């Protein structure tokens, strides 16, 4: 019934907007003019993705890779102002005198290098691009050029260090492994904390949840956003908080990342092909005990088994695109192939991707476009983590170094060591298999009508579906499982969204412009999971058809419907006031709490454009200055597994061979409602030295109420718990970004970007009391503390803070637990430098640092434990540098393994050279670029593990900062060639 009511409301909204379109068409449409031109930089190189708009209208377009643009404009004859702007460059204006001639050639427009970005067009969820100067909140933008400099294989990984207020962390070095993104801290405890991702207006899934098979770690699943090819991206826009993302309602607590793909442009056919070969290596080794004597002083032989499971890994990425079109029809077609080895033996990733974008202009006032992206990937997973029987690194961690995994039994020809605490990892590499295959399709359709220069109506349809199959096969005869076993998990998911947005611009006199935007959107998602397992396999069997079989299945559906209205008033293009309302409903909430209102207000004042500013001392210091502020509300929905938490659910049971139903442990909550976030943001943007230096500062205050938590029930109720709104938390912080044009000469150019952000997270209220995360056993949720603080037994200490030692010189454990660390960083910072030598050589490097956070090194703790003796601390003990029994005693004190995770990484480095045009022109080519790139080249840190940028629990919200046998991040160096025709 609820879905039926939602569809009725959707139909009514579509009819209303159709009437609006018909009424708009009835207005005078004007003469269909066509304006063409070319945009270049100071070195006469084409500028791609420059925004071209007719001031005071809804008409706009963008330049292609060759810098050319064509703008079809239904206008009345007269004089107009054309505005041209691009990221990292200033703005240029041209006067258009439209008369009897319908085709207008604008010629060449030159944009100078600029660090100030106020005139850049961004999309804020309303469907209508808005100049940055009109926004009261900060919006971060990453261009295609910046993404091209990154050797990262996924979009979210390429964002690391480029956005203030964003913590981008690789959870695992597994090929295709998961990436965790936090915008302005964590805003949920049990709900999702990852941003909402939108590609060309299509809401897409970026799930990195468990596959349903125990691989010993939640960081193993591949990253769904990794399906997208970075070469296809035109730009990325990041809305970091509720003040910016309020129009997305109950899905925007964690911010929004909007991704725009490349489109075709009219003109000559352009062909681009690139291939890159890279090598991945293990940057650092664990400190193992290789001391050639045992505790009695007798000589022993020790083996470095860690090196047996790693390799130098080779990868290849190949890409080709074809784009072009006529005046009214443009296309972009691309294909890519990735073949990536993992540095851990047995792991690999292969992916094929095809994308097609089409754009068609009809009648001078209607533009329709479509996009289709198909991805097929296959990944070889490896097992790791504490519970992962068969884990490669896990076996090394748990096994004494006196055991040689590589020894061969001469009689059987098989590995001599087949069972210690864990199976022989070399046998696992050779005989076990854990493949994962994904088939995904992302499609979109858009229609944008501009019946008059002041009105626009846009409809968007998006479809995202993927099918994933993951298996784990253990053959018969393995000591860990002599009978053999196999598991299979299938996931089938799709998400559909419909958006309809209308916008009307009204000029009141010469100074006041009013822009009214109204719209609606509707999303429907469905997820189905099926898992099965079998043991006691028959010979030569790998499928789930063994003697002992089990299976389970679940399905989730969810619908969201929302309406919004926004009014923006602009005075003399310098003072802007915006107010908006979003009315939102989701099927995941109770009937009485389903509809929620999310308001937003913001203001922006470009004070440096005022006449009273000129001639003041401030004008001498600042070439541009803007003040801004915003207040917004947004919400968050429960994860898909809790889509029916408003109901008490039942499960089947068999009693004396009779089937029946019993209710599950969790009670339904008909009063369930969304988590709500209130955010206040204030800041300023300042330009210095003729806008060669741009400083942007923001302060934000987020407060989240109605946090979703599992609340315990009294056993007498018949239920164990209930998902309820029972908590509050806050995030407060500052963000600073400085862009500088240090030098801009024909022979040499140098630009820099500095990012700094600081966030303070705090749990403000919990009904039912504080608790420890059941999955991590150490991350704590307590009022007055940051989310996920480490709480466990630490060293006993004297009044002076010194560790208490017993009579044998061994450390003593404290009698009670205490808070011993915090996985949340104190602050983050990055430095990006980009250099241009002449017009052919370009270089860049990115330093990215996270400071003041702690990690729990569970890997080291296990290695220090009794009966293993494989850690460097054991070697010190054997050498007599510490008392006998020191390593084992330390392993019983969990807090002893809380380490400072501060690090600075040489995250990325690239060197690109463009061959002489006269040389490549002989072969009919327009350009050939050679590139040398590197990623994770060096890490400055005191952390003793592989890498401080790691998390065993993937994208979990509370369980953060745990390192236990996690697949390490590789150091990669690559060489590539790009050819343009």
């Amino acid at each position: 019934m609820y879905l039926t009511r939602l569809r009725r409301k959707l139909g009514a909204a579509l009819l209303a907007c159709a009437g609006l379109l018909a009424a708009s068409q009835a207005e005078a449409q004007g003469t269909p003019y066509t304006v063409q031109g070319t945009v270049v930089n100071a070195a006469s190189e084409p500028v791609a993705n420059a925004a071209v708009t007719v001031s005071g209208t809804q008409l706009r377009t963008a330049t292609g890779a060759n810098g050319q643009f064509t703008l079809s404009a239904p206008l009345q004859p007269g004089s107009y102002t054309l505005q041209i702007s691009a990221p990292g460059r200033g703005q240029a204006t041209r006067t258009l005198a439209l008369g009897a001639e319908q085709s207008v050639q604008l010629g060449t427009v030159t944009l100078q290098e600029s660090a100030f970005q106020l005139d850049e067009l961004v999309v804020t969820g309303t469907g209508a691009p808005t100049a940055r100067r009109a926004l009261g909140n900060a919006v971060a933008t990453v261009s295609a050029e910046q993404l091209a400099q990154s050797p990262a294989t996924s979009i979210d990984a390429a964002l690391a260090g480029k956005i203030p207020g964003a913590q981008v962390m690789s959870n695992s070095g597994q090929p295709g492994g998961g990436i965790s993104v936090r915008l302005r801290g964590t805003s949920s405890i049990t709900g999702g904390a990852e941003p909402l991702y939108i590609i060309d207006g299509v809401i897409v899934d970026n799930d990195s949840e468990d596959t349903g098979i125990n691989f010993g770690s939640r960081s193993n699943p591949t990253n769904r956003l990794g399906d997208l090819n970075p070469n296809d991206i035109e730009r990325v826009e990041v809305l970091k908080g509720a003040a910016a993302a309020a129009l997305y309602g109950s899905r925007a607590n964690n911010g929004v990342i909007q991704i725009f793909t490349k489109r075709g442009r009219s003109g000559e056919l352009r062909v681009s092909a690139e291939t890159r070969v890279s090598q991945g290596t293990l940057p650092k080794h664990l400190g193992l005990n290789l001391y050639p004597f045992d505790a009695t002083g007798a000589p022993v032989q020790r083996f470095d088994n860690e090196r047996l499971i790693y390799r130098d890994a080779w990868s290849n990425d190949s890409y080709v695109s074809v784009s072009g079109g006529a005046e009214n029809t443009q296309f972009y077609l691309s294909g890519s192939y990735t073949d990536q080895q993992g540095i851990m033996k047995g792991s690999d990733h292969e992916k094929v991707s095809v994308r097609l974008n089409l754009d068609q202009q009809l009648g001078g006032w209607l533009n329709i476009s479509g996009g289709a992206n198909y991805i097929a990937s296959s990944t070889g997973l490896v097992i790791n983590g504490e519970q992962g029987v068969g884990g490669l690194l896990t076996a090394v961690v748990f096994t004494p170094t006196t055991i040689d995994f590589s020894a061969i039994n001469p009689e059987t020809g098989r590995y001599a060591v087949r069972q210690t605490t864990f199976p022989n990892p070399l046998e696992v590499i050779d005989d076990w298999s854990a493949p994962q295959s994904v088939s995904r399709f992302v499609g979109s359709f858009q229609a944008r009508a501009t019946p008059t220069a002041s009105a626009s109506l846009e409809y968007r349809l998006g479809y995202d579906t993927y099918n994933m199959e993951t298996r784990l096969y253990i053959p018969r005869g393995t000591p860990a499982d002599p009978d053999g076993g196999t598991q299979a998990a299938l996931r089938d998911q799709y998400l559909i969204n419909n958006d309809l947005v209308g916008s009307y611009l009204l000029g009141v006199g010469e100074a006041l412009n009013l822009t009214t935007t109204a719209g609606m959107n509707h999303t429907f998602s469905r997820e189905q999971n099926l898992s099965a397992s079998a043991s006691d396999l028959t010979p030569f069997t790998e499928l789930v058809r063994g003697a002992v079989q089990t299976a389970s299945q679940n399905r989730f559906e969810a619908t969201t419907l929302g309406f919004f209205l926004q009014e923006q008033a602009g005075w003399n293009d310098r003072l802007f006031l915006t107010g908006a309302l979003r009315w939102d409903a989701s099927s995941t909430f109770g009937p009485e709490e389903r509809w929620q209102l999310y308001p937003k207000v913001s203001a922006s004042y470009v004070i440096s454009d005022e006449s009273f500013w000129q001639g003041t001392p401030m004008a001498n210091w600042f070439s541009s200055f803007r003040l801004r502020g915003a207040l917004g509300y947004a919400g968050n929905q429960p994860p898909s597994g809790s889509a029916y938490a408003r109901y008490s659910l039942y499960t089947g049971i068999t009693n004396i061979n009779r089937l029946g139903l019993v209710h599950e442990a969790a009670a339904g909550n008909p009063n369930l409602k969304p988590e709500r976030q209130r955010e206040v943001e204030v800041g300023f943007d300042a330009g210095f030295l003729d806008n060669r230096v741009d400083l942007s500062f923001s302060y934000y205050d987020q407060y989240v109420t109605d946090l979703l938590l599992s609340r315990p029930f009294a056993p007498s109720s018949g239920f164990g718990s209930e998902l309820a709104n029972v908590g509050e938390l806050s995030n407060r912080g500052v963000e600073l970004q400085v862009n500088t044009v240090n030098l801009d000469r024909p022979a040499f150019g140098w630009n820099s970007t500095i990012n700094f952000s600081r966030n303070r997270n705090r749990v403000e209220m919990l009904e039912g009391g504080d608790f420890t995360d059941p999955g991590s056993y150490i991350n704590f949720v307590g009022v007055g503390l940051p989310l996920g603080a480490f709480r466990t037994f630490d060293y006993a200490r004297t009044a002076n803070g010194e560790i208490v030692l017993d009579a044998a010189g061994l450390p003593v454990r404290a009698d009670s637990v205490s808070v011993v660390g915090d996985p949340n960083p104190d602050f983050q910072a990055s430095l990006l430098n980009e250099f241009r030598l002449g017009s052919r050589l370009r270089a860049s490097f990115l330093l990215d640092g996270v400071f003041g956070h702690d990690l729990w090194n569970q890997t080291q703790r296990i290695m220090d434990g009794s009966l293993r003796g494989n850690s460097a601390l054991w070697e010190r003990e054997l050498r007599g540098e510490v008392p006998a029994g020191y390593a084992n005693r330390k392993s019983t004190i969990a807090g002893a393994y809380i380490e400072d995770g501060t690090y600075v990484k040489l995250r990325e480095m690239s060197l690109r050279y463009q061959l002489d045009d006269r040389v490549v022109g002989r072969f009919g080519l327009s350009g050939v670029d050679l590139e040398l790139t590197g990623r994770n080249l060096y890490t400055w840190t005191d952390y003793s593990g592989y890498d401080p940028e790691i998390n065993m629990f993937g994208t979990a919200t509370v369980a953060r900062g745990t390192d236990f046998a996690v697949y390490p991040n590789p150091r990669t160096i690559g060489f590539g060639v790009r050819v343009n025709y």
Side-chain angles (χ1 to χ4, degrees):
M1 291 296 293
Y2 176 62
L3 293 179
T4 301
R5 291 196 298 270
L6 285 180
R7 293 188 177 104
R8 287 175 180 171
K9 293 178 180 179
L10 173 61
L14 290 172
L15 290 174
C17 290
L20 175 61
L21 176 60
S24 299
Q25 284 184 271
E27 299 182 28
Q29 295 186 15
T31 303
Y33 290 97
T34 300
V35 182
Q36 295 179 320
T38 303
V39 181
V40 299
N41 60 16
S44 298
E45 299 171 328
V47 176
N49 198 40
V52 182
T53 60
V54 180
S55 181
T57 74
Q58 301 281 349
L59 304 172
R60 64 181 187 272
T61 189
T63 60
N66 56 3
Q68 298 177 358
F69 70 88
T70 299
L71 176 64
S72 296
L75 295 166
Q76 298 294 336
S79 181
Y80 297 87
T81 298
L82 198 67
Q83 295 180 335
I84 303 101
S85 63
R89 309 208 169 263
Q91 180 187 24
T93 59
R94 294 291 186 272
T95 299
L96 287 178
L98 302 181
E101 187 65 38
Q102 291 182 248
S103 180
V104 180
Q105 296 296 326
L106 190 66
T108 301
V109 179
T110 302
L111 292 180
Q112 299 295 328
E113 196 85 9
S114 174
F116 211 55
Q117 309 289 322
L118 279 191
D119 296 308
E120 178 187 357
L121 290 182
V122 295
V123 179
T124 61
T126 64
T130 305
R132 191 183 293 272
R133 64 169 49 231
L135 302 178
N137 46 265
V139 176
T141 303
V142 180
S143 66
E145 184 177 359
Q146 291 174 310
L147 292 173
Q149 295 171 356
S150 173
T153 57
S154 67
I155 296 300
D156 41 9
L159 298 180
K162 299 181 177 70
I163 301 172
Q167 184 181 9
V168 182
M169 186 176 70
S170 173
N171 298 316
S172 166
Q174 164 82 41
I179 302 292
S180 174
V181 179
R182 293 289 186 271
L183 301 178
R184 294 182 174 176
T186 301
S187 299
S188 181
I189 295 179
T190 58
E194 298 296 300
L196 179 70
Y197 287 91
I198 299 175
I199 302 176
D200 292 333
V202 178
I203 298 175
V204 298
D205 176 73
N206 189 39
D207 189 10
S208 290
E209 295 295 326
D210 291 335
T211 59
I213 296 177
N214 179 21
F215 290 114
S217 170
R218 279 183 265 180
S219 61
N220 254 316
T222 54
N223 182 26
R224 295 276 54 85
L225 202 63
D227 295 335
L228 192 64
N229 188 341
N231 287 292
D232 288 334
I233 306 307
E234 191 65 64
R235 72 185 189 280
V236 177
E237 294 177 2
V238 182
L239 314 179
K240 288 176 283 190
L247 291 182
Y248 288 104
S250 62
R251 296 166 297 175
N253 249 20
N254 306 305
V256 179
I257 294 182
Q258 300 182 120
I259 300 171
F260 302 88
T261 62
K262 294 177 180 178
R263 320 295 299 188
R265 305 297 178 193
S266 60
E268 296 181 354
L269 188 71
R270 293 181 59 86
V271 180
S272 180
E274 179 182 12
T275 186
R276 177 189 296 164
V277 178
S278 59
Q279 183 188 51
T281 58
L282 181 68
K284 180 182 179 182
H285 290 275
L286 294 174
L288 296 178
N289 173 19
L290 300 179
Y291 191 60
F293 299 95
D294 63 15
T296 66
V300 294
Q301 185 177 5
R302 297 189 183 274
F303 303 92
D304 189 353
N305 290 312
E306 178 199 26
R307 298 178 185 271
L308 298 176
I309 65 173
Y310 290 108
R311 64 185 173 187
D312 292 341
W314 290 93
S315 301
N316 172 257
D317 293 281
S318 298
Y319 163 81
V320 63
S321 69
V322 182
S323 64
E327 180 178 328
N328 294 325
T329 306
Q330 298 87 39
F331 72 94
Y332 174 87
L333 174 65
S334 72
S336 67
Y337 172 73
T338 298
D339 185 6
Q340 181 183 6
Q341 285 185 337
I343 59 172
M344 193 173 286
K345 295 177 182 179
S347 61
D348 54 63
H349 180 66
E350 189 175 17
K351 180 181 68 174
V352 176
S353 174
V354 179
R355 171 176 290 276
L356 175 63
N357 288 340
L358 292 174
D359 297 272
Q360 177 69 48
Q361 183 173 344
L362 301 174
W365 61 274
L366 177 62
N367 289 275
I368 61 174
S369 63
N373 189 195
Y374 175 74
I375 308 102
S377 66
S378 176
T379 304
L381 300 174
V382 293
I383 308 169
N384 277 307
E386 185 174 11
Q387 303 302 321
V389 175
L392 306 188
L393 182 56
T394 318
V396 173
V397 168
F398 273 89
T399 304
T401 53
T402 53
I403 294 177
D404 180 13
F405 284 137
S406 64
I408 301 295
N409 186 325
E411 296 181 0
T412 63
R414 306 188 68 177
Y415 292 107
V417 179
R418 304 197 63 204
Q419 178 70 62
T420 56
T421 306
F422 280 76
N424 189 324
L426 302 184
E427 186 175 27
V428 172
I429 292 171
D430 291 346
D431 299 333
W432 297 25
S433 65
Q436 181 182 87
S437 61
V438 171
S439 176
R440 186 176 190 181
F441 177 80
V442 180
S444 65
F445 171 80
Q446 300 182 19
R448 186 174 188 270
T450 51
T452 70
S454 300
S456 68
L457 184 64
E458 184 171 355
Y459 170 72
R460 295 188 294 266
L461 170 66
Y463 182 77
D464 178 18
T465 179
Y466 77 84
N467 301 287
M468 179 177 69
E469 178 182 2
T470 308
R471 293 192 298 115
L472 173 61
Y473 166 64
I474 303 173
R476 291 183 64 91
T478 298
D481 192 346
D483 295 329
T486 185
Q487 301 177 56
L490 303 176
R491 175 173 294 177
D492 183 4
Q493 180 171 343
Y494 68 85
L495 189 155
I496 301 175
N497 67 280
N498 293 270
D499 298 280
L500 191 61
V501 181
S503 185
Y504 186 78
L505 189 150
L506 175 65
V508 182
E510 296 183 357
L512 180 62
N513 285 318
L514 301 176
T515 303
T516 303
T517 305
M520 58 78 61
N521 54 49
H522 167 264
T523 64
F524 174 78
S525 63
R526 176 174 176 172
E527 176 183 329
Q528 181 170 269
N529 298 290
L530 174 64
S531 62
S533 65
S535 59
D536 194 10
L537 300 181
T538 57
F540 312 108
T541 297
E542 295 185 19
L543 302 178
V544 182
R545 50 187 298 178
V548 182
Q549 302 174 0
T550 61
S552 65
Q553 184 178 15
N554 57 55
R555 184 171 61 201
F556 308 100
E557 293 183 356
T559 300
T560 301
L561 178 64
F563 303 88
F564 65 86
L565 175 66
Q566 176 174 285
E567 185 69 35
Q568 182 183 93
W571 179 262
N572 281 324
D573 201 34
R574 66 193 62 164
L575 176 61
F576 302 88
L577 300 175
T578 303
L581 294 173
R582 161 87 181 200
W583 194 38
D584 191 284
S586 172
S587 62
T588 58
F589 306 125
E592 301 302 320
E593 303 288 350
R594 187 159 290 156
W595 287 93
Q596 299 282 328
L597 188 65
Y598 302 97
K600 167 190 172 180
V601 292
S602 68
S604 173
Y605 187 19
V606 187
I607 192 172
S608 58
D609 285 354
E610 294 287 1
S611 57
F612 63 75
W613 178 272
Q614 309 304 320
T616 65
M618 296 293 288
N620 296 330
W621 281 93
F622 301 101
S623 45
S624 301
F625 193 84
R626 176 174 75 124
L627 296 173
R628 50 181 166 80
L631 167 66
Y633 290 81
N636 194 31
Q637 300 183 15
S640 59
S642 301
Y644 302 129
R646 66 188 187 278
Y647 299 121
S648 294
L649 304 180
Y650 291 80
T651 187
I653 189 173
T654 302
N655 185 18
I656 315 178
N657 297 323
R658 302 299 297 272
L659 298 179
L661 293 174
V662 296
H663 64 73
E664 295 185 355
N669 182 1
N671 298 315
L672 202 65
K673 55 186 176 181
E675 299 176 333
R676 288 184 63 93
Q677 179 190 112
R678 181 270 302 151
E679 181 184 67
V680 176
E681 177 183 332
V682 294
F684 67 86
D685 302 287
F688 304 87
L689 302 176
D690 196 24
N691 287 336
R692 295 173 68 89
V693 178
D694 171 27
L695 187 152
S696 178
F697 173 83
S698 299
Y699 168 79
Y700 60 87
D701 183 334
Q702 296 179 353
Y703 199 90
V704 184
T705 59
D706 299 322
L707 284 174
L708 292 168
L709 288 171
S710 182
R711 178 172 56 187
F713 265 27
S716 58
S717 67
F719 294 96
S721 64
E722 174 195 57
L723 185 65
N725 302 96
V726 293
E728 299 177 2
L729 64 80
S730 63
N731 286 287
R732 297 180 178 89
V734 296
E735 299 167 352
L736 177 68
Q737 184 173 67
V738 181
N739 299 306
T740 64
V741 179
N742 304 314
L743 287 172
D744 186 20
R745 300 286 188 270
F748 184 71
W750 174 23
N751 296 351
S752 299
T753 300
I754 300 172
N755 289 322
F756 173 88
S757 60
R758 172 174 174 167
N759 182 75
R760 290 293 177 269
N761 174 274
R762 174 185 165 98
V763 177
E764 303 289 351
M765 188 272 287
L766 285 174
E767 292 184 19
D770 304 343
F771 65 94
T772 299
D773 182 83
S776 70
Y777 309 108
I778 189 171
N779 292 104
F780 186 67
V781 180
V783 174
L785 296 173
L787 190 64
F790 295 124
R791 183 172 181 266
T792 186
F793 289 97
D794 198 4
Y795 290 116
R797 297 182 183 272
T798 66
N800 296 327
E802 298 177 351
I803 298 174
V804 175
L805 303 177
D806 63 13
L810 305 181
V812 176
R813 194 181 78 170
D815 294 330
S816 60
V817 296
S818 61
V819 175
V820 295
D822 180 6
N824 302 285
D826 290 340
F827 66 93
Q828 300 174 210
S830 66
L831 170 63
L832 173 65
N833 277 297
E834 302 169 285
F835 303 93
R836 173 180 52 81
L837 184 60
S839 60
R840 304 194 182 282
L841 184 62
R842 283 173 167 78
S844 67
F845 70 85
L846 172 65
L847 292 173
D848 176 24
V850 180
F851 303 84
H853 67 296
D854 297 311
L855 294 175
W856 187 39
N857 194 343
Q858 175 74 332
T859 303
Q860 189 64 49
R861 183 189 180 201
I862 296 299
M863 292 171 63
D864 287 345
S866 63
L867 304 180
R868 282 172 284 278
N870 59 358
S871 69
L873 182 58
W874 269 91
E875 181 170 333
R876 292 185 60 205
E877 184 177 318
L878 295 175
R879 292 179 182 274
E881 298 174 5
V882 296
Y886 192 95
N888 187 52
R889 174 66 64 83
K890 181 183 176 182
S891 70
T892 65
I893 307 173
Y897 296 90
I898 302 296
E899 298 186 36
D900 181 9
T902 296
Y903 68 85
V904 175
K905 282 194 174 188
L906 181 53
R907 173 78 64 180
E908 295 173 355
M909 180 176 286
S910 67
L911 182 67
R912 287 177 170 80
Y913 180 75
Q914 183 179 17
L915 297 182
D916 193 302
D917 294 343
R918 293 171 296 181
V919 176
V920 301
R922 297 174 185 174
F923 302 94
L925 304 175
S926 61
V928 176
D929 296 335
L930 307 179
E931 66 174 14
L932 182 66
T933 60
R935 183 170 175 83
N936 293 329
L937 293 176
Y938 191 80
T939 302
W940 292 268
T941 183
D942 291 331
Y943 181 61
S944 65
Y946 279 127
D947 192 338
E949 185 193 4
I950 213 81
N951 183 39
M952 173 183 176
F953 296 102
T955 59
T957 55
V958 177
R960 310 290 293 172
T962 296
D963 181 2
F964 185 77
V966 179
Y967 196 126
N969 291 310
R971 174 193 292 126
T972 58
I973 297 176
F975 175 77
V977 180
R978 179 183 290 268
V979 178
N980 296 315
Y981 172 78

